[in-house]
């Protein structure tokens, strides 16, 4: 709790609403110079004049590069990045549309890759910095309705595991944030009960605390994380029986 904040500057994507917005606000309130990105310039402006608004579509890799150049020119070298831009829509098993799958992979996964590839070479050259992204507990196991979303988050967890050792050797710390259900515009469309639902302020607080501690995985709430990790370890017949009895029954 209340660890000292180790960063002077931070860049947050997905900062116009939800978890990213609260991370941006909480860091700025603790004296960090924050740059905030999302597509909506109007919503970013509502963050106030303390936060540098850098409107950006993360699916545009050239724009991500330009954003990093601009941010570092204005607030200085980025110490912490949190890539939170993401999107979700449920998938019905009788309506599998490739463009929905590609769109979600484009924003959630390639959006992180675009921002990462723009920033990582600079941090590696400085041998310092911390980069994180928001994956999800939905990346641990395949869940009903999450056929397009879950794989993007599984890919983000795997991306972090792949890069962590060499990034660390190069002086750059990587963290992957795996939230459970958080009350944001993204989950407002869910028509099923969301266990252990958390407020975005609390999700932001736990994310910042985990980042300040330098943990690779920052996952919350703990009980939901433990249940899903245990489910992941089950033999498939048991796993699918559990899903049929819990998630499908309640949906
Ligand atoms: N809420 C949950 O239960 C939950 C759980 C686990 C993980 N997550 C993850 O947490 C992250 C934040 O989600 P949230 O719940 O806070 O949702 P949210 O309130 O809908 O926020 C999503 C953010 O991403 C931005 N965004 C979307 N597409 C973008 C694009 N192409 N380029 C730039 N920015 C883009 C949105 O702003 P614009 O529309 O203005 O671009 C918004 O700022 C997401 O990666 C989500 O998958 C959420």
């Amino acid at each position: 709790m209340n660890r000292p904040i180790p960063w002077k500057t931070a860049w947050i994507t997905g900062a116009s609403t939800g978890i990213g917005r609260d991370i941006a606000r909480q860091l700025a309130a603790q004296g960090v110079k924050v740059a905030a990105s999302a597509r909506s310039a109007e919503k970013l402006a509502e963050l106030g004049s303390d936060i540098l608004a850098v409107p950006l579509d993360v699916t545009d890799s050239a724009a991500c590069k330009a954003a990093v150049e601009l941010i570092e020119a204005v607030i200085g070298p980025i110490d912490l990045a949190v890539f939170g831009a993401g999107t979700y829509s449920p998938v019905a098993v009788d309506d599998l549309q490739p463009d929905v799958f590609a769109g979600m992979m484009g924003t959630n996964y390639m959006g992180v890759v675009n921002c990462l590839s723009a920033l990582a070479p600079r941090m590696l050259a400085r041998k310092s910095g911390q980069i994180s992204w928001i994956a999800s507990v939905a990346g641990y196991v395949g869940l009903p309705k999450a056929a397009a979303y879950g794989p993007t988050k599984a890919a983000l967890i795997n991306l972090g595991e792949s890069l962590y050792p060499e990034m660390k050797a190069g002086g750059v710390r990587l963290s992957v944030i795996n939230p459970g259900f958080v009350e944001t515009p993204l989950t407002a469309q869910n028509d099923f009960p969301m266990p252990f639902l958390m407020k975005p302020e609390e999700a932001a607080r736990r994310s910042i605390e985990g980042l300040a501690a330098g943990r690779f995985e920052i996952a919350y709430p703990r009980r939901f994380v433990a249940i899903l990790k245990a489910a992941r370890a089950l033999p498939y017949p048991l796993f699918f029986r559990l899903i049929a009895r819990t998630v499908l029954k309640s949906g």
Side-chain angles (χ1 to χ4, degrees):
M1 279 288 275
N2 295 333
R3 247 169 228 282
I5 292 292
W7 319 284
K8 287 196 177 76
T9 57
W11 177 34
I12 319 298
T13 74
S16 63
T17 58
I19 305 169
R21 180 176 64 182
D22 279 293
I23 291 176
R25 280 182 173 157
Q26 290 179 25
L27 287 173
Q30 292 178 77
V32 179
K33 283 194 245 168
V34 174
S37 292
R39 289 165 304 178
S40 166
E42 296 77 31
K43 285 189 191 149
L44 290 175
E46 289 167 14
L47 290 168
S49 54
D50 280 358
I51 293 178
L52 177 69
V54 182
L56 171 69
D57 185 333
V58 296
T59 63
D60 180 342
S61 65
C64 293
K65 225 172 160 214
V68 170
E69 277 164 24
L70 173 83
I71 292 164
E72 295 213 328
V74 177
I75 67 170
I78 297 167
D79 294 329
L80 169 71
V82 182
F83 301 142
T87 185
Y88 162 75
S89 56
V91 165
V93 73
D94 56 356
D95 187 22
L96 303 176
Q97 297 179 29
D99 57 329
V100 171
F101 284 68
M104 240 175 283
M105 197 55 98
T107 300
N108 296 2
Y109 181 69
M110 285 311 297
V112 167
V113 171
N114 289 337
C115 294
L116 174 68
S117 62
L119 179 59
R122 289 169 174 250
M123 285 192 173
L124 287 167
R126 297 194 284 264
K127 297 189 175 26
S128 72
Q130 185 170 3
I131 299 180
S132 65
W133 47 83
I134 307 183
S136 169
V137 298
Y140 294 162
V141 290
L143 293 168
K145 307 263 192 293
Y149 180 77
T152 69
K153 299 303 185 175
L156 286 175
I157 294 170
N158 193 297
L159 178 71
E161 292 168 355
S162 294
L163 294 175
Y164 180 88
E166 286 164 282
M167 285 279 185
K168 188 177 177 218
V172 178
R173 195 165 281 280
L174 271 191
S175 299
V176 176
I177 302 169
N178 291 324
F181 289 111
V182 183
E183 203 179 315
T184 68
L186 185 134
T187 48
Q189 61 188 313
N190 286 346
D191 59 358
F192 52 83
M194 292 183 271
F196 307 100
L197 185 65
M198 189 181 266
K199 295 280 180 200
E201 299 83 358
E202 179 59 10
R205 192 190 64 73
R206 293 203 197 191
S207 300
I208 292 169
E209 193 182 302
L211 289 167
R215 290 204 293 273
F216 171 67
E217 189 192 20
I218 300 155
Y220 49 79
R222 279 207 196 113
R223 273 167 69 203
F224 194 38
V225 168
I227 291 167
L228 287 172
K229 285 196 171 178
R232 183 176 62 179
L234 289 173
Y236 278 124
L238 278 178
F239 171 73
F240 290 127
R241 214 179 303 157
L242 179 77
I243 293 295
R245 284 195 188 155
T246 55
V247 186
L248 291 181
K249 211 173 172 186
S250 66

